[in-house]
Amino acid sequence: MPVAIITGASKGLGRALGAALAGRGWDLVLDARTAGVLAETAEELAAYGTRVEALPGDVTDAGHRAELVAAARKLGGVDLLVNNASALGAEPLVRLEELGLEGLRRALEVNVVAALGLVQEALPLLRAAGEGAVVGVSSDAAAEAYETWGGYGASKAALDHLSAVLGVEEPGLRVWAVDPGDMGTDLYTAAVPEDDDPRPAPAEVVPAFLRLLDERPASGRYAASDLLEGR
Ligand SMILES: NC(=O)c1ccc[n+]([C@@H]2O[C@H](COP(=O)([O-])OP(=O)(O)OC[C@H]3O[C@@H](n4cnc5c(N)ncnc54)[C@H](OP(=O)(O)O)[C@@H]3O)[C@@H](O)[C@H]2O)c1
């Protein structure tokens, strides 16, 4: 069975993607910092009958990243790495003039440095997989200039660029940066608490990711809204 590592998989998009992959028979290695929530999610996903390793930890911890890859190795390798865990840098988001530099450092550490660290750790197994793929979960804030989204958006733009270069450096892999579009999740509420307009559930976006896995288009940046057209 193929094996996926999904970071930030206790809730939101990571959990919805994990459920879809488990439903397709994938074995999973999942993480999140809050152990109890992660354990509940892992139990739910294991009900699909696949193997689910849930390791609580912070993606910025190099030892934890090594544990994630070691767990995947035991399951047979790494066919897919999804760098999904994310930090906003300020909750709620603030204009750049107010953005604490520690918050910006945290966003860069979680969204960029840790993502690359996990790629580096997993690369030998991804290369060995034959059809290995890396997904960096991006945001339209990486490409558009939205007031208050500057620090987070800059970190996602950096992740996009790392993904683009990785795609060039690793022609044997697929490396996709994916903008999922707005979703009604805790992250969105933390970012913009006063915005209570209804937003799509993460599960509605998951078919975009499945399309990438099914069709394996060239490495590059994709918007879920485009991938969902006609699905
Ligand atoms: N929601 C949106 O509108 C939207 C739009 C564009 C892009 N995105 C992107 O979509 C991805 C998923 O976000 P979401 O909206 O699904 O968020 P979410 O529901 O808040 O889930 C975030 C997940 O990441 C985990 N996490 C956060 N920091 C972590 C860390 N340092 N180490 C390990 N796990 C960590 C969280 O659990 P713990 O807190 O327990 O660690 C949780 O499992 C993110 O990359 C986000 O930037 C979201």
Side-chain angles (χ1 to χ4, degrees):
M1 280 300 151
V3 180
I5 299 175
I6 308 174
T7 66
S10 64
K11 56 186 181 176
L13 176 62
R15 172 185 169 156
L17 181 58
L21 293 181
R24 287 174 160 218
W26 285 64
D27 292 325
L28 301 173
V29 177
L30 312 176
D31 91 338
R33 293 163 301 173
T34 312
V37 181
L38 179 65
E40 279 171 29
T41 295
E43 201 179 320
E44 269 184 43
L45 300 197
Y48 286 95
T50 61
R51 296 177 293 173
V52 179
E53 290 292 330
L55 302 177
D58 190 314
V59 289
T60 62
D61 174 350
H64 172 62
R65 294 194 299 265
E67 283 172 8
L68 292 173
V69 175
R73 185 180 290 110
K74 276 195 194 152
L75 293 178
V78 182
D79 299 277
L80 172 66
L81 166 61
V82 184
N83 276 310
N84 171 72
S86 188
L88 289 162
E91 299 182 8
L93 294 172
V94 293
R95 291 161 54 89
L96 287 174
E97 67 175 342
E98 295 169 49
L99 180 60
L101 297 185
E102 275 312 311
L104 176 59
R105 279 194 195 97
R106 175 73 186 163
L108 292 167
E109 192 69 32
V110 174
N111 302 351
V112 187
V113 179
L116 178 59
L118 196 48
V119 165
Q120 290 174 342
E121 192 78 35
L123 255 183
L125 293 178
L126 283 162
R127 288 179 184 137
E131 295 202 325
V134 178
V135 171
V137 180
S138 184
S139 167
D140 59 346
E144 303 291 335
Y146 301 127
E147 203 172 324
T148 76
W149 292 82
Y152 168 82
S155 73
K156 293 293 191 179
L159 177 63
D160 282 1
H161 199 66
L162 283 187
S163 301
V165 173
L166 185 67
V168 171
E169 291 178 348
E170 299 291 336
L173 303 181
R174 290 291 190 275
V175 184
W176 301 302
V178 183
D179 165 15
D182 287 353
M183 300 171 288
T185 65
D186 289 352
L187 180 137
Y188 194 88
T189 303
V192 199
E194 72 280 7
D195 180 354
D196 49 14
D197 286 351
R199 290 178 195 277
E204 292 180 40
V205 177
V206 165
F209 290 81
L210 299 181
R211 182 169 180 188
L212 289 173
L213 294 173
D214 289 343
E215 298 181 8
R216 294 184 62 79
S219 295
R221 190 177 194 278
Y222 293 85
S225 54
D226 294 335
L227 293 165
L228 290 170
E229 264 173 31
R231 295 281 276 196

